[in-house]
Amino acid sequence: MTGSDKTQGLAGRRLLLCVGGGIAAYKALELVRRLRDAGAQVQVAMTAGAQQFVTPLSFQALSGHPTRTSLWDSAAEQAMGHIELARWADQVIVAPATADLMARLAHGLADDLVTTLCLATTAPVMIAPAMNHRMWEHPATQGNLATLRGRGVRVVGPNDGPLAEGESGPGRLAEPGEIVAALANHADDAPSVPQDLAGLKVVVSAGPTYEDLDPVRYLGNRSSGKMGFAVAASAAKRGAAVTLVAGPVHLPTPAGVTRVDVRSAAQMHQAVFAALPADVYIGAAAVADYTPRVPAADKIKKSSESLALDLVRTPDILAEVAAQTQALKLVVGFAAETNNVAEYARKKLEAKRLDMIVANRVGIADGGFESDRNAMTAYWKEGERSFASAPKTQLADELIDLIVERLNA
Ligand code: PMT
């Protein structure tokens, strides 16, 4: 088995890492890096003790998500409540699991964020204990271990060897590679992708539009359709009935998605409205704002030094969908911005009367049009959420998480 084979099961998994307050907490940083390399999404929660050893900022930088440290952080709770976070996880890993944390988990306490998350989740929990070897061998700890195992909690480590206090024995945190392998081995234990969009119809637009000038030339743009196709695939995986209205792109149709191919903004407008009614509309297409008033019937000849094109505005599909009298549950637009992202995005949110707008940070080295990766920030009336640079497939899953949250808000 190769290294990547060993971690294959983690691609796309949503892992909640709960960090306990032991010296081995620093190894949890490397764990986050390896889990992300394996394609997992990682969110981190820390006990108060853990924050004495490693800063939340370090985990934030590595995971790409704000680190959760308290039950009483109202800003963090507004973005994603702790119960939602517990529900979000496919797997929970507690590393390092200290003697105290194991005792609190065994007794079902919920006196801080980490214990509350472990009690509230239905996802499989794995612990990676780390402590002094006498604490590990103490009958109290071994009793707690047996209780946790009896409830189906998986255990990785601890390893035998030199400990932080200069002693030696069983109590060393398992190496990050071992923890990743153990999680990958048990990835199948995790519940399958939640079907939280079951029963809902989602319409997604993707790709560019081509506005014909004459039989050989057109006005187009650089959209590849990758972002919109990823969003459609993710919504379908979560149980939605998805219609994908695709501009001219060279991408395979995602599993379980009904695809309608179009070329121009007018055709996209027609196809989107033909796909309604729906519960959710996600406009990821880069629709042309202007189209020739009358496309030339024959090839335009080179006759003078300059050529003026007579263009007219295309219909704003997104704004018209949002203005539907038969209201959708959620209308989400996209916007490509290089600067003043929050200001421009919020203006579009308001002007087009959307429920949410997702602004791409275009102009960065690795993202926006054509790239397999992107970075973006979603804005809605009362909040916003940033998505760090990641593959578009992963961002699509994270965006669908947010859409589910907003639908339930
Ligand atoms: O396709 P990729 O290569 O993966 O790239 C992804 C993307 C950058 C194209 C995508 O993530 C994105 O940002 N799409 C929106 C591009 C954009 O800038 O749109 P806009 O600001 O022109 O329009 C804002 C919103 O109005 C969009 O949701 C758009 O679909 C919608 N719109 C615009 C004009 C129009 N006539 N009708 C519309 O519905």
Side-chain angles (χ1 to χ4, degrees):
M1 218 188 229
T2 66
S4 61
D5 286 339
K6 278 187 200 158
T7 60
Q8 222 170 29
L10 293 175
R13 284 276 164 207
R14 295 183 295 198
L15 284 163
L16 173 60
L17 168 62
C18 295
V19 186
I23 180 65
Y26 77 92
K27 283 193 186 172
L29 293 170
E30 172 68 5
L31 178 59
V32 175
R33 195 186 62 74
R34 290 198 183 214
L35 288 170
R36 290 206 74 195
D37 285 350
Q41 298 176 43
V42 185
Q43 297 220 41
V44 180
M46 302 176 77
T47 64
Q51 294 165 61
Q52 298 294 320
F53 292 96
V54 188
T55 67
L57 202 58
S58 307
F59 282 107
Q60 180 171 320
L62 288 167
S63 70
H65 289 282
T67 302
R68 303 295 297 267
T69 54
S70 164
L71 269 175
W72 315 115
D73 179 341
S74 55
E77 282 292 310
Q78 208 171 27
M80 187 189 259
H82 61 275
I83 298 296
E84 282 165 278
L85 181 58
R87 254 199 249 135
W88 170 89
D90 291 329
Q91 281 172 283
V92 176
I93 171 72
V94 184
T98 59
D100 172 70
L101 188 46
M102 281 176 62
R104 290 191 293 133
L105 293 175
H107 286 85
L109 298 191
D111 55 354
D112 69 357
L113 178 65
V114 163
T115 48
T116 303
L117 288 168
C118 289
L119 204 58
T121 191
T122 53
V125 177
M126 182 178 286
I127 59 169
M131 63 196 74
N132 173 274
H133 67 105
R134 288 194 195 86
M135 293 170 81
W136 173 249
E137 285 156 353
H138 195 285
T141 303
Q142 290 302 309
N144 292 331
L145 179 68
T147 302
L148 291 169
R149 277 197 206 275
R151 281 190 210 136
V153 170
R154 303 254 177 207
V155 183
V156 52
N159 292 347
D160 207 325
L163 300 169
E165 313 79 8
E167 297 183 72
S168 189
R172 279 173 67 83
L173 181 70
E175 292 305 318
E178 293 173 284
I179 300 175
V180 171
L183 285 165
N185 270 341
H186 291 290
D188 289 343
D189 299 354
S192 53
V193 179
Q195 297 297 290
D196 37 16
L197 289 180
L200 296 187
K201 177 162 182 191
V202 175
V203 177
V204 181
S205 74
T209 64
Y210 288 175
E211 308 303 319
D212 289 334
L213 293 166
D214 66 17
V216 277
R217 306 180 184 93
Y218 60 83
L219 294 172
N221 64 66
R222 289 173 45 200
S223 171
S224 63
K226 288 176 186 169
M227 191 70 234
F229 273 57
V231 169
S234 182
K237 271 192 304 187
R238 305 278 279 264
V242 180
T243 299
L244 171 62
V245 180
V249 296
H250 303 282
L251 293 174
T253 307
V257 165
T258 303
R259 175 174 180 169
V260 183
D261 285 314
V262 299
R263 179 174 173 85
S264 64
Q267 288 171 1
M268 187 169 275
H269 179 265
Q270 201 272 331
V272 164
F273 275 83
L276 298 182
D279 300 288
V280 178
Y281 177 73
I282 305 169
V287 187
D289 289 320
Y290 291 92
T291 191
R293 186 183 298 278
V294 185
D298 297 313
K299 185 178 172 191
I300 300 169
K301 290 291 170 203
K302 229 185 320 183
S303 54
S304 56
E305 281 310 305
S306 61
L307 174 70
L309 297 173
D310 183 11
L311 304 176
V312 291
R313 286 291 293 268
T314 55
D316 193 317
I317 305 166
L318 181 63
E320 285 188 28
V321 170
Q324 280 283 292
T325 44
Q326 194 196 7
L328 288 86
K329 293 191 172 77
L330 206 75
V331 177
V332 181
F334 266 75
E337 309 287 354
T338 51
N339 57 327
N340 298 339
V341 177
E343 185 191 333
Y344 292 149
R346 283 203 179 278
K347 272 189 185 153
K348 279 186 190 166
L349 178 74
E350 217 169 297
K352 301 198 187 202
R353 296 172 176 275
L354 309 177
D355 298 302
M356 193 197 296
I357 192 148
V358 184
N360 302 256
R361 294 179 183 279
V362 292
I364 52 170
D366 191 17
F369 290 108
E370 294 167 322
S371 166
D372 286 334
R373 298 176 68 85
N374 213 357
M376 55 200 206
T377 304
Y379 299 90
W380 61 98
K381 196 166 172 220
E382 323 78 20
E384 63 182 71
R385 185 173 303 167
S386 290
F387 301 90
S389 176
K392 284 179 177 170
T393 47
Q394 180 180 328
L395 289 178
D397 287 344
E398 294 176 3
L399 178 62
I400 294 294
D401 290 344
L402 177 58
I403 285 174
V404 169
E405 278 173 52
R406 297 310 306 157
L407 283 168
N408 294 333

